[in-house]
Each structure stands twice: as C-alpha cells, then as structure tokens.
Amino acid sequence: MESLLGFGIFFVSFAGIYAILALGLNVQWGYTGLFNIGIAAFFAVGAYTAAILTTPESPNHLGGFGLPMIAGFVVAMLVAAVLALAIGLITLRLREDYLAIASIGLAEIVRLVLKNEEWLTNGTRGITAIPRPTSVTFFVIVAVAVLVTYWLVERARRSPWGRTVRAVREQEQAALAAGKNVVRFRLEAFVFGSALMGLAGALYAHFQGFVGPEAFEPMFGTFIVWVMLIAGGSGNNRGALVGAFLVWGLYAVTGFVATLVPPEFATQASAARVVLVGVLLIVVLLYRPEGLLPESRRVGPGPD
Amino acid sequence: MDIVQAILYGLILSSIFALGAVGVSLIFGILRFAHFAHGDMVTLGAYLALAVVTLGQVSVWLALPVAVLVTAGAAIAVDHVVYRRLRRTRPVILFLASVGVAFVLRNLVLGIWGPQNLVYEPGIKLPMQFAGLRLKIDQLVIIVASIALISGLALFLRMTKIGKAMRAMSDDPDLARVSGIDTDAVVRWTWVLGGALAATAGVFHALDTRLQPTLGWDLLLGFFAAAILGGIGRPMGAIAGALVIGLASELSTLFLPPVYRSAVAFVLMIAVLLIRPTGIFAEARR
C-alpha cells in the first residue's frame, strides 16, 4: 500500500512536470499557432541553469553558487526566455515551417553543447548532487507550480491578449488590418511558453537530483509533449493537462509491461514503446485531430 | 594540404546531403510540407541494404537497387496510409504526422537491428594515396554516382512528361489540376524519387561511416539547411545548397571540434534566413 502511494506520488510529480511543458506548448501552438519542435532546448536550458545555480562547488562543472531552489526557478525561466527571444526575433517574421526547422536545430545545438562542453556541464556524465527535496515536498512544489501555471495561462487565454494571439493564428491578415503588431504578439507568446518550459526543466532537475544530456533527446524533450497536447486537445488548457497525464500514464504502463520482458529484449521493448507513442500521434491526427477536449470556439469575455 | 583534404571530404558529404536535400525540396514543392521523416527514410534504406547483404550474401552494390525499390515502395505506402488522408488539412499537420512517422521508422530500425554500430563488410579498406591526399574507392564512387544520379534526375524533370507535370504542380498546383495533370501520379512519382534518393544517400553514408539507427536523423538538419539555402521547393537549388553546407561542415573541423560539425549547417541556415529568406540560389520572383 505504502509503495503504491509512493509510486502514485512519483508518477503525479513526473506527469506534473510534463503538464507544465504541455501548457507552455499550448500557449505557443494551441493559442498562437507557433510550431516549436525544439521544446527540448528550453527544457534542457532550464534544467541545467537550475542545476548549476543550486549545486555545491564541484571540480567537474561550472557552479558552486549554492543558491536556493527558488532562485534556480526564476533564473531558469529567465534564461529560457532570453533564448526564446533571440531565436524568435530571427524566425517569427518568417513562414511557420522555418520556425519549426530552426527550433529543432536549436535543440540539437543545445544538446551538443551540453554533451561536449565539459567545463560547463560535465559532459555526458552530467551534473549530480542537485538538492532534492523529499518526495512529498516535491509533490507539493510541483502541484503548486502546475496550478499557478494553469491559472496564469488560463487567465492569459481569456484576456484581450489571448483573443489577439488566437486572431493572429486564425486570421493573420485580419489581425494586421486591426492594427495589431502580429510579430510582437507571436514573440510574446513564444517567450511566455518557453519560460514555462524552462520552469519545467528546473523542476525536473530537482526531481531527479541529476541532469544529463540523455534526458533531452528529441523523444522525451519534445516529441512526447506534442503527443500530449495534440491528444489532449490543442488550444484547451484542461486538454493539455489531461493529455499530459494520460500519455505519461500510458507510457508508464507500457514501461511496466516492458519490465516483464526478458532483459535481452530490453532494446526492442523500449523501441516498441516509442513506436506506440508515434502511432498514437498519427492515429489522433487522422481520427480526432481536435483532441479529447477540443478548444472552446467561444470568443469574447465571460466564462465558457 | 589539410584544406584540400577537408574539401575532398566536404564533397563526399555534399553528395550525400544533395541526394537527401533534393528529395526534401521535391516533396516540399509538390506536397507543400516539410517532410520530417526524410532522415529516417535514409536510415531505413541503409538498413534494408544491410538486410539484403546479410540474407543474400551479396555485395552492397547489388543490395543497393533492392533497398532503393523497397524504400520507394515504403514511401508510397506511408503516403497512402497517413499523408494522403491529411492532405486537406494545414501543412503543419502533415509535418507533425511526419514527425510521428520519423519516430516509428527509427524505432523499428532500432528494434530490429539494435543500437550498435554495423558495417556492410567487415575489414578496413585502405585509402588510395595521391599527392598526399587520401580517398577510398567507395568515396570516389559515392561522388561520381551522386553526380550521375542527380544529373539523371534533372534530365527526368526536364524531358519526361511526368517530370514536366511535377514541375508544373510545384509551380502552381491548382493550374496543374485544371489543366488535366494526373496529380495522383505526380504524388506517387514524388515519393518514388524522394524515397529512392533517400535510400541511396543512406547506403552511401553507411558505406562512408557506419550503420547507426540515428544515421539519417543526424543528416536531416543538413538536408533542410541545404534545401532552404537553395530556395525550398527548387530541387536544383538544393544541390548548390548541399555543396555549401557539406563544404562548410567539413572545413569547420579545421578550427572547431568535429562534434560541432552538424551545428555548422544550422548556423548557416539561420544566417541565410536572416539575410535572404527565399534562399541564396532562388531566382527573383517574376
């Protein structure tokens, strides 16, 4: 019973981190139509920023600041936001596929830097000894972070700002004609969403107590977040939450099944899990592209 | 001398980039989406050739045409099952579906062949030496065969009826449709050519390096960079783009750690997007 509760806390904490990633992506893609497939870049930068700021001094990587966790959260969001600002300024004026390709390129560069700049990140061995709260404390921290994030993005969605970015997504010409600075709104949404991804990264660092470049490969850094948002319902924040928990749940269940497979087939089992997630994405796109909880079509103020 | 050697290696890489980038550009021109699974189609082709080599005990050069045919068939099959049904939606949805296809393909390869490095034929082939430069026979074949294949493609697009139809559809899909072009046939041919060139690129790259489930993924950024550099949707521009990206990647190793080779493509691409978003080799709009 106790171990079941322990697993429940672990699962919800991990899914909560992904929920924040999915909410960040919802601001970018769901609200504004920005095609970011470099989520891993912002996630990783957030995680490493928090790791470097909060760890004790180590000869293996930059650090020794020993700052409190909260400082790590704030700076992680700032660094992710600055990175998003730089990349957004270059690509958001262009057509949407260019942002996609630029963002995946950015994610690859970030991963290469994390893997190879040993003075900064200890390379493939990663950063250890990141302060790790007890699982219950961490559960509370993630729960608060998810709720605050949800409240923020939902508030943004209902605000005039939220209506404008949706107008930018649906009818760019009309938004321009209404005197809206389309590029500026896109940039704001991109930076906002990326800062949330940086926060998720910082949470991840304290959750694991360890960060290494492996965790930020395209599958877990980017791809699974897309599956979560599309399956849950792009444009709908509750959909993003439901998608994150469902897809992560599905992944956890298949992981449990994979432990029953003899160890010599471990590679096949983990490959089959990724194939399953890929097939899920394709099936959702083909048969229910609006997701489980579709976006509300209502416009204008008031509850919906 | 190091520079000349790097240029030589750059030409090999350019050849492989060109084979992939031409496909990306063709698919973009005709189907209007950035085909994210192209890298993993390259991987698939390379491993299919390996299957023929191990099962049939034949040389890789005999396995190549089989791999090319099967990959082209697989490309048509994926289009039929996935992309065809999404054609009426927005291009980004197609792009996203191709991300799913990419992960499925790569992990099928990983599940079947495993994560370890593989080669077609064991043993070390010594490079030829001339004037202080090193070049393997395989590498020479890669360069020559790539030039021949791409010249063949250029002739195909220029001379044959279906090639002309492909160019027409790339220029103006609606006009092509109303003027009686069989758009389904054009789409099929696009996948045949894209898949065939991708498989060839995969076999060539595996010959030059080794087989690895991320083989094609590692090249994908270069394909897109070359295609964008050449003005996306213009297959012949992609060749010039591939030349720039391939040479720049190899030359960068003279002053950068080689692990950052693939980052050079990205940085160049960003630079082009900043200066000339239509691509440096794109013609001015008439």
Side-chain angles (χ1 to χ4, degrees), chain B:
Chain B
M1 211 74 243
D2 280 351
I3 295 190
V4 184
Q5 184 70 51
I7 290 177
L8 206 53
Y9 286 152
L11 285 177
I12 301 165
L13 195 58
S14 301
S15 306
I16 290 159
F17 279 154
L19 293 173
V22 165
V24 165
S25 209
L26 265 182
I27 294 168
F28 191 90
I30 288 162
L31 294 153
R32 313 266 149 191
F33 79 103
H35 184 225
F36 196 78
H38 212 74
D40 296 289
M41 225 156 75
V42 166
T43 314
L44 181 70
Y47 276 88
L48 285 172
L50 179 71
V52 177
V53 167
T54 40
L55 294 176
Q57 295 295 317
V58 292
S59 104
V60 64
W61 300 108
L62 277 173
L64 175 63
V66 182
V68 161
L69 283 177
V70 180
T71 309
I76 293 180
V78 171
D79 181 69
H80 198 75
V81 176
V82 182
Y83 304 135
R84 186 176 54 97
R85 304 179 188 198
L86 294 170
R87 249 175 320 251
R88 296 266 150 228
T89 61
R90 298 168 51 207
V92 276
I93 300 299
L94 277 159
F95 187 126
L96 199 54
S98 74
V99 175
V101 171
F103 277 85
V104 169
L105 286 181
R106 190 183 324 158
N107 283 280
L108 286 178
V109 167
L110 178 67
I112 297 172
W113 283 280
Q116 68 277 30
N117 289 341
L118 298 168
V119 289
Y120 290 123
E121 285 154 10
I124 299 167
K125 287 185 186 163
L126 285 178
M128 307 179 291
Q129 302 259 1
F130 56 91
L133 294 175
R134 297 173 306 280
L135 190 69
K136 291 181 194 163
I137 295 276
D138 289 351
Q139 295 173 324
L140 191 64
V141 175
I142 290 172
I143 297 178
V144 174
S146 302
I147 294 173
L149 281 171
I150 287 168
S151 314
L153 177 76
L155 282 177
F156 180 88
L157 291 178
R158 227 156 249 300
M159 302 297 193
T160 63
K161 195 157 178 258
I162 192 76
K164 286 178 191 163
M166 286 172 78
R167 286 191 296 140
M169 199 163 153
S170 182
D171 280 347
D172 192 333
D174 295 326
L175 187 61
R177 205 166 289 121
V178 294
S179 51
I181 285 175
D182 180 354
T183 51
D184 285 343
V186 167
V187 167
R188 258 195 316 278
W189 272 98
T190 306
W191 287 114
V192 167
L193 293 174
L197 293 175
T200 313
V203 173
F204 284 179
H205 195 56
L207 263 175
D208 190 32
T209 56
R210 74 276 172 272
L211 287 129
Q212 243 278 314
T214 56
L215 172 134
W217 167 258
D218 295 336
L219 292 170
L220 184 69
L221 217 54
F223 296 164
F224 278 119
I228 288 179
L229 219 57
I232 192 149
R234 300 182 171 275
M236 295 305 130
I239 297 161
L243 214 56
V244 174
I245 299 287
L247 288 174
S249 303
E250 283 297 337
L251 286 171
S252 74
T253 59
L254 297 175
F255 50 89
L256 268 180
V259 289
Y260 289 117
R261 198 177 346 203
S262 61
V264 171
F266 170 70
V267 173
L268 269 175
M269 188 173 74
I270 291 286
V272 171
L273 289 181
L274 267 176
I275 303 160
R276 261 199 87 168
T278 49
I280 40 176
F281 299 106
E283 304 162 28
R285 281 258 163 227
R286 279 150 295 177

Side-chain angles (χ1 to χ4, degrees), chain A residues 164 166-182 186:
Chain A
T164 311
R166 270 175 290 162
V168 167
R169 181 194 70 192
E170 293 288 329
Q171 288 285 339
E172 181 179 344
Q173 297 304 323
L176 271 171
K180 303 295 179 191
N181 185 341
V182 166
R186 283 208 182 108

Side-chain angles (χ1 to χ4, degrees), chain A residues 197-256:
Chain A
M197 292 164 187
L199 172 67
L203 286 166
Y204 176 84
H206 292 291
F207 180 53
Q208 298 284 338
F210 166 80
V211 286
E214 293 278 302
F216 307 103
E217 297 213 342
M219 169 68 200
F220 292 104
T222 298
F223 179 54
I224 204 164
V225 184
W226 269 99
V227 182
M228 288 165 174
L229 181 64
I230 299 290
S234 177
N236 184 326
N237 289 315
R238 266 173 303 162
L241 292 182
V242 168
F245 279 87
L246 264 186
V247 173
W248 196 239
L250 181 77
Y251 200 72
V253 170
T254 57
F256 177 71

Side-chain angles (χ1 to χ4, degrees), chain A residues 150-197:
Chain A
Y150 178 80
W151 178 78
L152 259 178
V153 294
E154 193 57 24
R155 207 183 137 92
R157 188 180 70 85
R158 287 158 190 251
S159 69
W161 183 85
R163 288 197 295 278
T164 311
V165 292
R166 270 175 290 162
V168 167
R169 181 194 70 192
E170 293 288 329
Q171 288 285 339
E172 181 179 344
Q173 297 304 323
L176 271 171
K180 303 295 179 191
N181 185 341
V182 166
V183 174
R184 194 197 162 97
F185 276 98
R186 283 208 182 108
L187 196 60
E188 285 168 359
F190 190 59
V191 170
F192 181 20
S194 300
L196 294 177
M197 292 164 187

